[in-house]
């Protein structure tokens, strides 16, 4: 009831200001002021003001907004943690599936990081011979060890 009275008073005041503005021969501005001043009374007549007042004064509605805010906060927290780890849930799932299905050859002399079988002799000729001679069967992780030593791990 109070909200409707306030909206009606605001509309009446706005229409009064529009009349004074029109009296001063500023018809475009007066029309714009009249349009703005009719909005509150229009909201009262459509029932929007009563609906908003009903929402604003119910504790259950505010509890609902709190639950929605908490859910949004949890969602954003998990998204931030995923971004920091650098992987998404789909990538982790694919990695787990690949880890279960692939077997590692125990006697592999070097990791297969090259271009593959179809690369031909051009790929082997591009490699330095020192690297090939230095790679021994027990020396598979020398690059990794060098990186870890460099960082003091």
């Amino acid at each position: 009831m109070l909200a409707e009275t306030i909206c009606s008073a605001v509309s009446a005041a706005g229409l009064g200001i529009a009349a004074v503005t029109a009296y001063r021969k500023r018809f475009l501005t007066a029309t714009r002021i009249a349009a703005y001043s009719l909005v509150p009374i229009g909201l009262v007549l459509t029932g929007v003001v009563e609906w908003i007042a009903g929402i604003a004064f119910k504790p259950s509605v505010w509890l609902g907004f709190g639950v929605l805010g908490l859910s949004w906060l949890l969602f954003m927290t998990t998204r931030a943690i995923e971004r920091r780890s650098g992987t998404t849930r789909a990538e982790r799932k694919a990695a787990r599936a690949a880890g279960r299905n692939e077997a590692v050859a125990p006697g592999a002399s070097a990791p297969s990081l090259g271009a593959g079988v179809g690369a031909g002799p051009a790929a082997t000729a591009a490699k330095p011979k020192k690297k090939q001679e230095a790679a021994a069967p027990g020396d598979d992780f020398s690059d990794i060890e060098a990186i870890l030593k460099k960082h003091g791990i």
Side-chain angles (χ1 to χ4, degrees):
M1 178 87 176
L2 181 63
E4 289 86 359
T5 305
I6 292 172
C7 287
S8 299
V10 167
S11 289
L15 289 174
I17 293 171
V20 170
T21 307
Y23 179 74
R24 293 181 179 170
K25 308 280 187 211
R26 300 168 96 193
F27 297 110
L28 186 62
T29 305
T31 306
R32 190 175 296 126
I33 292 171
Y36 280 125
S37 66
L38 291 174
V39 170
I41 197 72
L43 291 174
V44 167
L45 293 174
T46 58
V48 172
V49 173
E50 183 180 339
W51 177 73
I52 289 174
I55 286 176
F57 298 115
K58 285 185 183 176
S60 62
V61 172
W62 287 105
L63 183 64
F65 281 125
V67 169
L68 287 174
L70 177 65
S71 117
W72 178 82
L73 180 70
L74 292 173
F75 179 71
M76 287 296 129
T77 302
T78 57
R79 295 282 297 176
I81 290 171
E82 271 185 351
R83 279 192 213 119
R84 288 188 109 195
S85 67
T87 59
T88 62
R89 186 170 47 144
E91 290 172 347
R92 288 191 304 269
K93 188 176 180 181
R96 270 186 270 137
R100 275 187 254 132
N101 295 335
E102 291 183 13
V104 178
S109 61
S112 61
L113 299 176
V117 177
T124 56
K127 292 182 185 177
K129 291 191 176 189
K130 290 181 185 177
K131 188 88 171 177
Q132 289 179 351
E133 292 172 2
D139 208 19
D140 289 345
F141 299 104
S142 61
D143 295 344
I144 297 171
E145 289 175 6
I147 292 170
L148 292 174
K149 286 179 184 177
K150 178 181 172 185
H151 291 288
I153 298 174

